[in-house]
Amino acid sequence: MSNLEIAELLKKVAAAYQILGENRFKIIAYERAADSIEHLTSEVKDVWDEGKLGEVPGIGEAITKHLDELFRIGRVSHFEAVMKKVPQGVFPLLLVPGIGPKKAYKLVTDLNLKGNEKVVVGQLAAAAKAHKIAPLEGFGEKSEQDMLAAIETYKKGAIKENRMELPLADKIAQDVIAYIKRLGPSVVERIDVLGSLRRQVSTIGDIDIAVATKKPDSVVSHFVTYPHQKLIEKGPTGASLLLHSGRQVDVRVQEPGSYGAMLQYFTGSKNHNIKLRELALSKGLSLNEYGIKVVGKTQNSKLKTQNYNSKLKIYQFRTEESFYAAIGLPWIPPELREDKGEIEAARNIFYRKFPGKPNGLPKLVELSDMKGDLHVHTNYNLEPSHDLGVDPLASYLDRAVEFDYEYVGISDHNPSTTKHTEIQIVAIMKRRKEYYEHKYSSWIQKVSKASSPARTNVHLFIMCEVDILPDGKLALPDAAFEYVDAVVVSIHSSFTQPKAAMTKRVLRALGSHPKVRIFGHPTGRLLMKREGVELEWGEIFALCKERDIALEINAYPQRLDLPDAIVYDARKAGLRFCIDTDSHAASQMDMMRYGVSVARRGWGEKDDIMNSLEYTQFRDWLIK
DNA sequence: GCCGTTTTCGGCCCGACTGTTTTCAGTCG
């Protein structure tokens, strides 16, 4: 069962409890558990396998027991008993936007809806068309019409599933920002991308944008003239549009004096915000998007009187830093705001007395720390097993200069093993090495003439991305290793082997030659297209550590592989990483920033990243 | 049902929006 399916199951249980009038905190607990699982970047099943279910926030003793039953025998008798107590027709209706448990229950019982998902939703649509909904208590003309529209939305397929990769989300956000900025700096004092895009989650649902302005009405009215398919909602604090592309954009406005609180509120994540507000509450402070209210007895030494707005009875904050500081915390980087222990770590900066806890927040790696890219593909045709790049070596070197890198590693795919004999492959690799050495020295000569010497110290590593064959053998004969400095090994076939076989396969490959230095895109996932392979990570980590092999954080936006949650675990296990772009065109080398974001979301520091090392240190690590 | 570094009992985030309402409930993020 996938995370999404388990999350949906828990949501159904929560809905059933709500209809049954259960304790509302129990309902909230189930919803939080569902939410937590839905947003988990590793599979719950794997977490359960490792016996770490209790470490997932929102999952305690009781739900652990239920999930244990689910994974062992495929069903949970308690869940089934609870869900049996409500009419089955309510569950499909929950998928229609705007219908929650209460409304669903009322509709199903009053209209006697029953059957499978399609049938029930169809019956509801028919009832709306026949004006049978408006007369029901709590409903009316408007809600009847809205319901028909909502059913249409539902039929178009769950918009929720329609997530996008980071570059597209960036593009949409920048277009909207440019449009809003047309109002000029006197109206748009500040504008920022917030939400999951600011946290750099690997896929993005909605785009969230906040504006600091003294003229909120002007900003909202201007924003809703942006070309769109549907106005979802509009109010004094903001508006939401569904664009023609099917993407939703939410804009929130805030006066500059409270903008810090808005940045914090709208960046999320939801669970981070809840945890933060609970912490604040324990100090007698209530947080919202306008600022901080004093609700209890407390010595508010952190609150400064000059921030107090007596009209709103609230302390205001222009910056996020001052907002966090008022709760007694340092500023927490957005990539960490997932309720994975960052608040506890942040508190520890001020409460170092507690041993055994993470000692403060990590000092996260930054894009400017990167000194090279070890996984790019040129257009040199070595008749590879997979695709070639489109640009020549010189283009990649030029870009390396642009980024101030000290080195580049060319990791073309190995020559095809089906089209060539081993002897041919060795010959190809030898020829390739000579070719690159020649091209590299011509490039050096050209650049030395054109620019100051300081700009020419980009070093070249001649590498290769070698397939891990289904049996764990490498797709490069031993004799060919003489012609490479190091190799990246990756899986490009047979992605669905069972965990044990896959683990054995990878272990064999990683241990098969000293020049194996990087495990490329380790899960092989393609976002929204292909799940990652199943591996016994503990065993992989152990061998990588023993042989000092780096795990790749592949920055290509469709991959972002390792996933951030595994980066987090691997880092705890003491492993180190290479962040590479896997560029097949020189223009793609600026995707590095997405890889850095993944590292940051995995709590990665500069010291965890091999290719943040300067050239000689890196060379000494890479070349064995 | 979850959770905790003054608590293992007694709390539990916060507000906007919408529609159907004379004061609020439901839904959403």
Side-chain angles (χ1 to χ4, degrees):
Chain A
M1 246 179 143
S2 72
N3 286 1
L4 201 58
E5 288 167 330
I6 294 167
E8 267 160 20
L9 176 63
L10 291 170
K11 279 186 209 166
K12 281 183 186 175
V13 176
Y17 273 145
Q18 199 167 343
I19 292 164
L20 296 168
E22 251 295 355
N23 175 302
R24 70 186 181 97
F25 295 111
K26 190 165 165 181
I27 296 162
I28 290 170
Y30 269 87
E31 281 169 350
R32 274 176 80 168
D35 196 66
S36 183
I37 287 175
E38 190 176 339
H39 293 102
L40 215 57
T41 22
S42 45
E43 289 292 314
V44 194
K45 175 83 161 42
D46 293 341
V47 180
W48 173 78
D49 273 338
E50 291 163 24
K52 290 182 178 171
L53 219 44
E55 290 177 23
V56 178
I59 298 187
E61 205 179 327
I63 295 181
T64 295
K65 225 179 101 204
H66 294 318
L67 293 184
D68 192 60
E69 190 181 337
L70 181 71
F71 291 128
R72 276 187 301 107
I73 60 174
R75 43 193 286 244
V76 182
S77 51
H78 175 67
F79 291 175
E80 287 177 2
V82 172
M83 285 162 61
K84 229 180 191 167
K85 288 185 192 164
V86 303
Q88 298 307 294
V90 302
F91 299 113
L93 293 193
L94 298 175
L95 304 173
V96 179
I99 300 184
K102 293 286 174 83
K103 283 189 186 176
Y105 180 69
K106 178 112 183 96
L107 291 166
V108 167
T109 49
D110 286 9
L111 299 168
N112 192 29
L113 309 178
K114 55 178 73 155
N116 66 29
E117 182 179 328
K118 259 195 173 153
V119 174
V120 173
V121 176
Q123 287 172 343
L124 181 67
K129 280 180 193 149
H131 303 296
K132 287 182 183 165
I133 290 175
L136 300 178
E137 195 189 344
F139 293 87
E141 287 294 333
K142 184 76 169 69
S143 47
E144 189 170 78
Q145 289 311 307
D146 289 350
M147 201 166 291
L148 278 171
I151 291 170
E152 280 311 305
T153 310
Y154 157 83
K155 278 186 184 160
K156 277 185 198 160
I159 286 182
K160 272 184 192 166
E161 307 262 322
N162 192 11
R163 299 183 71 84
M164 57 194 137
E165 290 155 12
L166 288 166
L168 176 59
D170 276 336
K171 170 81 170 63
I172 294 172
Q174 291 315 314
D175 288 350
V176 173
I177 285 175
Y179 187 81
I180 294 174
K181 274 189 172 171
R182 286 192 204 166
L183 290 169
S186 62
V187 177
V188 181
E189 295 193 18
R190 270 197 68 179
I191 182 162
D192 292 274
V193 175
L194 305 179
S196 54
L197 187 50
R198 184 172 182 222
R199 301 199 312 280
Q200 292 281 288
V201 180
S202 56
T203 61
I204 305 298
D206 302 342
I207 307 280
D208 300 312
I209 293 169
V211 180
T213 180
K214 293 192 188 80
K215 295 182 177 172
D217 295 343
S218 313
V219 173
V220 174
S221 344
H222 176 66
F223 168 59
V224 298
T225 63
Y226 189 81
H228 62 271
Q229 190 186 127
K230 191 182 164 200
L231 173 66
I232 297 171
E233 68 182 27
K234 183 186 169 203
T237 59
S240 298
L241 293 180
L242 185 65
L243 305 185
H244 293 298
S245 56
R247 312 297 180 176
Q248 185 174 329
V249 181
D250 300 339
V251 168
R252 298 285 152 221
V253 290
Q254 185 61 278
E255 63 168 286
S258 280
Y259 195 58
M262 171 58 84
L263 289 172
Q264 198 292 316
Y265 156 80
F266 210 21
T267 296
S269 66
K270 187 175 164 184
N271 285 335
H272 173 86
N273 284 3
I274 289 175
K275 182 69 79 68
L276 197 69
R277 287 171 194 166
E278 282 174 353
L279 171 66
L281 211 53
S282 73
K283 301 180 178 193
L285 304 173
S286 173
L287 312 182
N288 60 34
E289 59 266 49
Y290 303 98
I292 299 182
K293 274 188 293 197
V294 176
V295 293
K297 277 186 292 178
T298 174
Q299 322 85 314
N300 300 303
S301 54
K302 301 266 185 336
L303 297 172
K304 298 188 182 120
T305 46
Q306 68 263 34
N307 290 336
Y308 192 66
N309 182 324
S310 51
K311 213 165 118 196
L312 299 173
K313 295 192 170 147
I314 206 166
Y315 288 87
Q316 292 183 297
F317 303 88
R318 283 183 172 272
T319 66
E320 231 181 9
E321 285 82 355
S322 59
F323 185 84
Y324 275 100
I327 317 160
L329 296 179
W331 181 79
I332 299 175
E335 295 93 331
L336 298 183
R337 300 184 197 169
E338 300 289 350
D339 189 22
K340 298 246 164 71
E342 72 281 5
I343 291 175
E344 292 80 354
R347 291 180 74 180
N348 234 20
I349 288 178
F350 294 89
Y351 304 98
R352 284 182 184 276
K353 299 164 201 161
F354 309 111
K357 283 284 177 181
N359 196 11
L361 293 166
K363 189 177 180 315
L364 299 179
V365 60
E366 291 177 25
L367 182 57
S368 58
D369 292 327
M370 302 311 298
K371 299 282 199 313
D373 192 342
L374 288 308
H375 188 167
V376 302
H377 298 259
T378 77
N379 64 353
Y380 177 75
N381 191 353
L382 67 168
E383 298 167 59
S385 51
H386 306 286
D387 45 353
L388 289 171
V390 297
D391 290 315
L393 174 65
S395 306
Y396 294 91
L397 295 170
D398 286 342
R399 291 226 78 190
V401 171
E402 186 188 318
F403 295 133
D404 236 350
Y405 286 167
E406 295 182 17
Y407 42 90
V408 169
I410 303 297
S411 298
D412 304 315
H413 290 290
N414 58 268
S416 162
T417 50
T418 50
K419 290 181 196 145
H420 307 99
T421 64
E422 289 202 356
I423 290 171
Q424 286 172 327
I425 292 176
V426 174
I428 290 172
M429 294 300 287
K430 180 167 186 285
R431 206 158 59 228
R432 167 180 177 263
K433 179 176 159 75
E434 290 160 3
Y435 170 86
Y436 279 142
E437 282 171 344
H438 172 69
K439 288 289 177 187
Y440 178 64
S441 60
S442 348
W443 179 81
I444 289 284
Q445 279 176 14
K446 193 183 120 210
V447 183
S448 325
K449 276 185 210 154
S451 66
S452 64
R455 305 281 291 166
T456 65
N457 63 343
V458 175
H459 298 269
L460 177 68
F461 294 117
I462 298 173
M463 299 170 60
C464 186
E465 182 181 16
V466 181
D467 287 343
I468 299 175
L469 298 172
D471 61 359
K473 273 193 201 150
L474 293 183
L476 195 69
D478 264 3
F481 276 82
E482 191 185 332
Y483 305 107
V484 292
D485 294 319
V487 304
V488 179
V489 295
S490 327
I491 296 171
H492 291 107
S493 63
S494 302
F495 294 98
T496 55
Q497 290 178 347
K499 197 182 215 176
M502 187 63 85
T503 303
K504 208 174 142 202
R505 170 186 180 184
V506 171
L507 290 174
R508 179 178 180 190
L510 291 174
S512 58
H513 197 285
K515 284 192 176 177
V516 173
R517 306 301 296 131
I518 301 173
F519 181 16
H521 47 75
T523 78
R525 76 170 178 182
L526 291 178
L527 292 169
M528 299 171 287
K529 289 206 182 91
R530 183 173 71 208
E531 294 291 319
V533 300
E534 292 198 46
L535 283 171
E536 205 64 71
W537 288 105
E539 292 181 35
I540 305 293
F541 293 169
L543 186 69
C544 286
K545 194 155 167 59
E546 184 192 321
R547 298 184 72 100
D548 199 15
I549 292 172
L551 296 170
E552 182 177 76
I553 296 177
N554 190 297
Y556 203 71
Q558 287 185 318
R559 292 191 181 272
L560 300 182
D561 183 8
L562 279 185
D564 49 33
I566 305 180
V567 172
Y568 181 88
D569 290 342
R571 182 175 175 271
K572 272 205 293 198
L575 293 220
R576 296 190 291 180
F577 309 89
C578 268
I579 309 178
D580 298 322
T581 60
D582 204 352
S583 291
H584 285 63
S587 63
Q588 293 169 350
M589 284 175 79
D590 48 21
M591 301 295 181
M592 180 63 83
R593 64 196 179 97
Y594 297 117
V596 171
S597 292
V598 172
R600 290 169 64 88
R601 288 179 56 79
W603 294 48
E605 303 188 311
K606 181 176 187 293
D607 288 350
D608 301 318
I609 311 299
M610 297 315 300
N611 51 332
S612 73
L613 291 174
E614 56 85 23
Y615 169 69
T616 51
Q617 282 180 306
F618 183 78
R619 181 198 58 201
D620 291 349
W621 168 77
L622 183 75
I623 299 181
K624 299 284 179 218

